[in-house]
Amino acid sequence: MNITRRKFLIGGAAVVAAGGAGILTPMLTREGRLIPGKPRVGFVNGLNGPLPKQSDVVVVGGGIQGIMTAINLAERGLSVVVVEKGNIAGEQSSRFYGQVMTYKMPDATFMLHHMAKQRWREMNAKVGADTSYRTQGRVEVPLDDEDLAHVRQWIDTKHKEVGSDIPFKTRIIEGDELNQRLKGATSSWKIAGFEEDSGSLDPEIAAFVMAEYAMKIGVKIYTNCAARGIETQAGAISDVVTEQGAIRTSQVVVAGGAWSRLFMQNLNVNVPTLPAYQSQQLISAAPGAPGGNVALPGNIYFREQADGSYATSPRVIVAPVVQESFMYGYKYLPLMSQPDFPVHISLNEQLINTFMQPKHWALNEVSPFEKYRDMTAAPDVPELESSLEKLKAEFPAFKDSKLVDRWSGAMSIAPDEDPIISVVKEYPGMVINTATGWGMTESPVSAEITADLLLGKTPVLNPEPFSLYRF
């Protein structure tokens, strides 16, 4: 993508504005670095040995989006190969927060999540294993009267729009019901939104169970096998070229998560995303603490896991300044100005690295993906510690909870925060499924849309809001 002087100046101004208007942080010390990582807890071995010479579909990326798309295609009778540069779920797919919810979601994303909740409720029975999914309910206390009015209007609108096939179960609660949901709180919370059918998935379990199921039904997953690019003949896809050789195919799904943009840059296709990192932590069980999923003003968030431990996160996005920030960072200003979307800007070596990073390479050359197998972001420890202190002050039942783990997930999101699930017009036979901060939640339905688009079927949801070409 060529960058004009005007776009560079506008993007630079956006970076300065973001650093100085409402989201002030010590930019030079704020964490936001990519560092080598590995799957946090679970581990599923990929295949070794020679690659198959041919496959109906090749999926680039062994995170949850790639795995779920491969499952959907295999269940339709296609042969599917997944190639992953590192380990299965080695990056964001073992680092997600794990709430399966629709609360305050905009129209297009709402239906994606609403349908996904139903798919996840049926998943354990489908795969014959415990994915860790639990329907647990979620309480969110509004930020202020304006937020409450917005929530009431949103609930009223969705009650009218949503059909009876998958009932809409979000409502306002107060009084004894709210007190029971927030038992032991030191503050006197008066009113909240309650999503009765929200769910929970644990990052230590879900993606790995789904990967095992994928292999059980015939999906071939090759790890430490980076896709370098594709070859074409007469304008049609003919091969996916990996570091271990080529696989003949006419259909490709790009589900590379935070790496999708770089993969597509080598094909001269622009995928407008910027990196976004979110730190989280896991603490031990707390007898007497509220269960379920809770979000309170003051940046207090927690979610009970299947084993009784609790995931908690300050829900603050760390956005490192990168080369692309100067290209179209200004497009993110409306998103960054939202009161429930706090963003910290980080200025670190990643800026220089993105300018130095090759954007094009020959298919017989070592690609960047072979240099960065499993990458994650360094956790923002000060934010995590502050968040945990607030949680323990609000709910004394957590005072003896011990820190189990801390981590940060690396995502790339689009300017409107909606996912990109789209045909790639420049390469017939290619579909991209990427650019989401809700990949685990969305994956059963985004995978179905991806498979429909690839096979020329009418998708279960209108894909236009997720088009690569909407920007």
Side-chain angles (χ1 to χ4, degrees), residues 96-334:
F96 58 90
Y97 185 56
Q99 51 184 355
V100 182
M101 52 169 276
T102 60
Y103 193 76
K104 294 198 294 187
M105 291 286 175
D107 292 343
T109 309
F110 168 81
M111 285 308 302
L112 192 60
H113 287 222
H114 188 60
M115 294 180 65
K117 286 194 293 187
Q118 177 69 20
R119 300 287 200 278
W120 276 116
R121 284 194 288 270
E122 300 167 348
M123 196 65 71
N124 288 354
K126 172 181 174 176
V127 304
D130 187 357
T131 64
S132 76
Y133 180 82
R134 303 289 187 274
T135 296
Q136 61 180 191
R138 181 180 185 275
V139 173
E140 179 167 330
V141 173
L143 299 172
D144 49 33
D145 289 342
E146 182 180 357
D147 189 26
L148 176 58
H150 170 69
V151 170
R152 288 186 186 277
Q153 182 180 19
W154 180 84
I155 289 174
D156 183 61
T157 299
K158 295 306 174 191
H159 268 301
K160 295 174 181 176
E161 291 179 350
V162 176
S164 60
D165 291 348
I166 308 175
F168 178 69
K169 294 184 177 182
T170 300
R171 53 190 170 85
I172 297 294
I173 62 171
E174 49 193 322
D176 290 342
E177 184 176 12
L178 178 58
N179 292 336
Q180 182 60 32
R181 291 280 172 184
L182 300 179
K183 64 180 181 180
T186 56
S187 300
S188 180
W189 303 105
K190 302 299 184 184
I191 196 165
F194 178 55
E195 185 175 344
E196 182 180 342
D197 61 343
S198 76
S200 173
L201 285 161
D202 299 346
E204 299 84 3
I205 299 172
F208 304 106
V209 170
M210 297 311 300
E212 289 173 338
Y213 174 72
M215 291 188 283
K216 180 180 177 181
I217 64 172
V219 175
K220 295 180 171 62
I221 305 176
Y222 290 84
T223 50
N224 292 305
C225 181
R228 292 176 173 175
I230 66 168
E231 290 183 330
T232 61
Q233 292 182 359
I237 295 171
S238 61
D239 297 86
V240 170
V241 178
T242 80
E243 62 180 296
Q244 296 182 23
I247 305 172
R248 191 155 189 83
T249 189
S250 60
Q251 298 177 107
V252 176
V253 173
V254 176
W259 300 94
S260 294
R261 172 175 166 77
L262 183 58
F263 183 85
M264 297 303 291
Q265 277 182 299
N266 195 41
L267 301 177
N268 295 311
V269 176
N270 182 42
V271 179
T273 59
L274 287 179
Y277 306 151
Q278 185 174 328
S279 296
Q280 300 172 46
Q281 55 198 347
L282 186 68
I283 59 175
S284 60
N293 187 344
V294 173
L296 300 179
N299 216 3
I300 298 172
Y301 293 82
F302 63 86
R303 176 188 62 81
E304 186 180 16
Q305 299 218 139
D307 65 357
S309 61
Y310 283 80
T312 176
S313 168
R315 308 300 289 168
V316 173
I317 296 295
V318 175
V321 179
V322 294
Q323 182 182 17
E324 290 81 1
S325 303
F326 298 91
M327 297 178 181
Y328 42 74
Y330 66 95
K331 294 183 179 181
Y332 289 76
L333 288 179

Side-chain angles (χ1 to χ4, degrees), residues 269 422-426 466-471:
V269 176
S422 176
V423 297
V424 179
K425 296 177 182 177
E426 294 86 346
F466 313 124
S467 171
L468 175 61
Y469 306 95
R470 68 183 186 265
F471 304 103

Side-chain angles (χ1 to χ4, degrees), residues 339-359:
D340 57 351
F341 195 88
V343 178
H344 290 161
I345 304 298
S346 175
L347 191 60
N348 58 64
E349 68 267 22
Q350 195 169 341
L351 173 60
I352 298 173
N353 292 343
T354 55
F355 273 96
M356 300 295 292
Q357 175 66 61
K359 309 301 190 297

